[in-house]
Amino acid sequence: KRFQARGSYMMARDALMSLFTMSDGVGRPIIDNHLTIGTDGIMRLWGYPLYQVDQLPNYLNGTATPSPQIGAKSVGFGSWTDAYLVVNRRGFFVVRDPAYNPAGVTWYFGQRVGGGVLCENASCFLEVV
């Protein structure tokens, strides 16, 4: 409950599109009154920010009649800043490699990035069963 105040949703694109097509037994959209767009341009579902993340696995399988893919974790909710920390190390490096490209000089650029889980209870993904 302590992470709920800073919570947000992350969804794969097809899971988000499926959410828009869901309706109740009478045919009314389920999320009609619960999905809003704030003044900052961010979609909010039940008051929590909703982000589309293309790197999440697909919710639907690629058959002729799409159905939910068993085991997919396409929807997540939590306080992502409390769950995981990404650290960009100070500065980046440049390496000159004249031996690789005889016609010119090849440059390699890079940066050290690290991170780790801060709290496993701060977020969770829903799994299709």
Side-chain angles (χ1 to χ4, degrees):
K1 195 166 186 167
R2 68 179 188 180
F3 302 115
Q4 192 171 356
R6 293 186 301 261
S8 62
Y9 289 97
M10 290 186 352
M11 290 188 186
R13 176 179 294 171
D14 57 351
L16 183 58
M17 294 302 116
S18 296
L19 187 66
F20 291 133
T21 62
M22 292 181 184
S23 60
D24 62 6
V26 183
R28 296 176 299 212
I30 290 177
I31 62 165
D32 191 28
N33 297 328
H34 305 291
L35 184 69
T36 59
I37 297 182
T39 57
D40 53 1
I42 296 176
M43 280 191 295
R44 297 186 183 280
L45 181 61
W46 293 296
Y48 296 104
L50 172 62
Y51 300 104
Q52 175 185 322
V53 179
D54 292 330
Q55 288 81 7
L56 289 174
N58 288 333
Y59 169 69
L60 300 173
N61 58 19
T63 60
T65 56
S67 61
Q69 188 169 328
I70 303 300
K73 294 183 179 180
S74 306
V75 178
F77 179 80
S79 174
W80 306 106
T81 56
D82 293 326
Y84 197 79
L85 175 68
V86 176
V87 179
N88 290 325
R89 307 286 183 202
R90 186 175 178 158
F92 64 93
F93 62 87
V94 179
V95 178
R96 181 176 182 226
D97 185 10
Y100 180 72
N101 187 0
V105 178
T106 302
W107 296 92
Y108 296 104
F109 297 90
Q111 182 178 11
R112 290 182 56 209
V113 178
V117 176
L118 294 175
C119 181
E120 294 178 3
N121 297 324
S123 64
C124 67
F125 281 93
L126 303 177
E127 183 175 355
V128 178
V129 291

